[in-house]
Amino acid sequence: MFELTGGRPLRGSLKVPGDKSISHRALLMGALAPGTSRITGLSTGQDVAHTAAAVHALGALLEGGDRITGGSGHLHPSNAPVDVGNSGTTMRLLSGICARFPWSTVLAGDASIARRPMDRVAIPLRLMGAAVEGEPGDGGMAGTFPPLTIAGGGLHGIDYRLPVASAQVKGAVLLAGLGADGETMVRESVLTRAHTEEMLTTFGADVEVSEDRLTTTVRPSELQPFEIDIPGDPSQAAFWAVAATLVPHSEVTIEPVYIGQARACFLDVLRRMGADIEVEMVSGTEARLHVRHTQLHGTDVGGSEIPGLVDEIPVLAVAAATADGVTTFRDAGELRVKESDRIATVTAELTALGAKVDPTGDGLVVTGAAPLSGGLVSSHGDHRLAMALAVAALVAEGTTRIEGWDAVATSYPGFEEDLRRLWE
Ligand code: S3P
């Protein structure tokens, strides 16, 4: 339980944890690259700790907190089911890797993982030649659900159009393609985060990305051991960007975060709503963010910008709840199959704090400027909902108690400490 009374401005600068998406991929690619790679600035969350434990169970050596030694000479079957905890990214990306090796792996996780659809990776990996078995869904839901059993080896390349805009699925197919015979092509209709193709390219794989960035081709190739310093996580920065915008007299600087392809669309939305955010580029894909309090107004969020801000919708809904006018989130049906059904949970919990939120089949309609008042709310075991509720609590009248606060450790164990630092 986290008890929070807001009203105090947030001031100063902070460094958010290393990017979660990049951290997962660094560990997985470090496990594949023959030799020793060095990874600094890893995400401190439990999701990434699960990926580290998973690659360790499959034979990669992890030493000194920053070194990983991998390659097929080290990798071997795990003698127990590999536990991915709450991490859908771990399960989906690791499926692509397990599909390559001529042995069987069981990938299991917590109760929330058991509800995450896995057909999206099972189908292309089967087309490539892997055997992927899962469980039926809760209440007879159609499709493949965890735990997954993957019997791999003997893969061949495919030409695959993603039926759902998902960087996890793109990543799984590309990682499998790296070890398949022939060429593997992944075609997207909408741009999603590009970490897999960017990192595979940097780490020496034979990868080609089309000019419009919608098609990625990978050919069988070996990764080279690498060094990476993981940039800050824009998805964590989003909580502070919204908090500093909403709480009067706040002024916060967020030390550099990754703002490359399909990761920082929340900034466009907040600026469209009137936010005062200065983006100070420090490299081609990283920027320091300077945020000052302002009153927001409603906007319309949908279409091809959704994959670039899907994880930020819970906290953008909080921003919308305090904005003048109506904000709509459309085309975001994927929210139903995240760590919680975020259309249902965001609606229920923000409504409990006095916001006016109406769920739709694939989004939310938020009528802003209803006064928020503290109350008892629940994270539903969902880290991003927990932190979004903490941001709402900062502008709610009175005290808010958030049940299931420990979910925050999934991606941002230091959230509470960082909040106190900005309050000092
Ligand atoms: C992620 C992709 C997104 C995102 C998730 C991380 C990734 O999921 O929601 O938190 O690292 O590739 P989808 O690919 O399922 O949209």
Side-chain angles (χ1 to χ4, degrees):
M1 179 83 79
F2 185 30
E3 204 169 284
L4 190 52
T5 310
R8 287 156 69 183
L10 307 178
R11 303 186 70 89
S13 72
L14 93 163
K15 190 170 168 358
V16 294
D19 186 72
K20 186 157 85 72
S21 291
I22 299 177
S23 296
H24 285 302
R25 287 162 173 84
L27 287 165
L28 296 169
M29 293 183 198
L32 290 176
T36 300
S37 299
R38 185 154 183 265
I39 307 172
T40 50
L42 269 181
S43 157
T44 47
Q46 286 168 349
D47 270 10
V48 168
H50 275 106
T51 296
V55 295
H56 175 69
L58 292 166
L61 298 177
L62 297 162
E63 291 164 305
D66 65 349
R67 270 165 298 136
I68 177 165
T69 304
S72 43
H74 283 274
L75 299 184
H76 56 64
S78 168
N79 51 19
V82 173
D83 178 14
V84 306
N86 188 244
S87 178
T89 310
T90 308
M91 183 164 284
R92 295 193 178 121
L93 293 177
L94 196 54
S95 297
I97 289 182
C98 292
R100 294 174 46 165
F101 293 101
W103 58 69
S104 180
T105 313
V106 178
L107 300 178
D110 69 9
S112 140
I113 275 289
R115 296 191 298 270
R116 309 287 296 274
M118 292 296 151
D119 261 346
R120 54 188 63 197
V121 286
I123 290 170
L125 295 176
R126 285 178 194 136
L127 288 171
M128 296 178 84
V132 184
E133 305 286 336
E135 297 294 319
D138 263 359
M141 248 188 312
T144 308
F145 291 83
L148 293 183
T149 303
I150 302 176
L155 300 188
H156 49 82
I158 54 171
D159 181 343
Y160 194 66
R161 176 165 288 280
L162 293 187
V164 10
S166 166
Q168 294 178 354
V169 179
K170 170 172 63 176
V173 177
L174 293 175
L175 287 167
L178 203 61
D181 268 349
E183 203 169 75
T184 298
M185 284 177 102
V186 179
R187 299 172 196 270
E188 305 187 83
S189 311
V190 179
L191 290 179
T192 63
R193 62 194 71 193
H195 305 304
T196 307
E197 52 273 41
E198 284 176 359
M199 293 169 74
L200 285 178
T201 306
T202 310
F203 304 159
D206 186 354
V207 180
E208 224 173 275
V209 178
S210 63
E211 213 173 314
D212 61 9
R213 305 204 55 83
L214 289 167
T215 304
T216 307
T217 307
V218 63
R219 298 181 198 90
S221 42
E222 191 91 281
L223 296 178
Q224 301 303 312
F226 55 84
E227 288 204 5
I228 186 172
D229 187 27
I230 308 219
D233 192 328
S235 299
Q236 312 300 12
F239 296 106
W240 304 117
V242 173
T245 298
L246 267 42
V247 182
H249 311 295
S250 294
E251 187 165 350
V252 168
T253 293
I254 304 159
E255 292 305 334
V257 294
Y258 178 93
I259 60 156
Q261 178 174 309
R263 285 305 302 277
C265 298
F266 73 95
L267 289 173
D268 303 332
V269 169
L270 287 174
R271 284 160 134 189
R272 214 152 77 213
M273 295 174 84
D276 179 351
I277 303 179
E278 188 199 326
V279 177
E280 181 198 341
M281 295 304 297
V282 299
S283 77
T285 51
E286 287 173 51
R288 186 176 284 120
L289 309 176
H290 304 276
V291 190
R292 270 197 220 105
H293 165 69
T294 22
Q295 178 60 35
L296 301 180
H297 48 79
T299 188
D300 186 25
V301 185
S304 60
E305 71 184 339
I306 292 294
L309 50 68
V310 67
D311 291 341
E312 287 68 70
I313 290 178
V315 78
L316 288 174
V318 174
T322 70
D324 295 323
V326 175
T327 299
T328 49
F329 297 93
R330 296 175 287 106
D331 311 313
E334 275 294 298
L335 291 175
R336 298 236 177 246
V337 289
K338 293 292 180 187
E339 286 82 332
S340 68
D341 171 350
R342 287 182 178 156
I343 292 181
T345 56
V346 166
T347 301
E349 303 309 319
L350 289 188
T351 302
L353 295 178
K356 192 165 170 354
V357 184
D358 293 303
T360 64
D362 68 352
L364 300 164
V365 179
V366 184
T367 306
L372 300 185
S373 47
L376 177 64
V377 287
S378 166
S379 74
H380 297 262
D382 182 336
H383 56 132
R384 298 199 199 279
L385 180 62
M387 292 184 274
L389 291 169
V391 173
L394 295 177
V395 284
E397 189 61 40
T399 299
T400 300
R401 285 178 303 143
I402 306 172
E403 259 174 4
W405 177 250
D406 53 355
V408 166
T410 298
S411 65
Y412 198 164
F415 182 91
E416 206 177 317
E417 207 178 300
D418 282 351
L419 172 61
R420 297 198 190 286
R421 196 166 298 141
L422 292 176
W423 263 346
E424 270 165 15

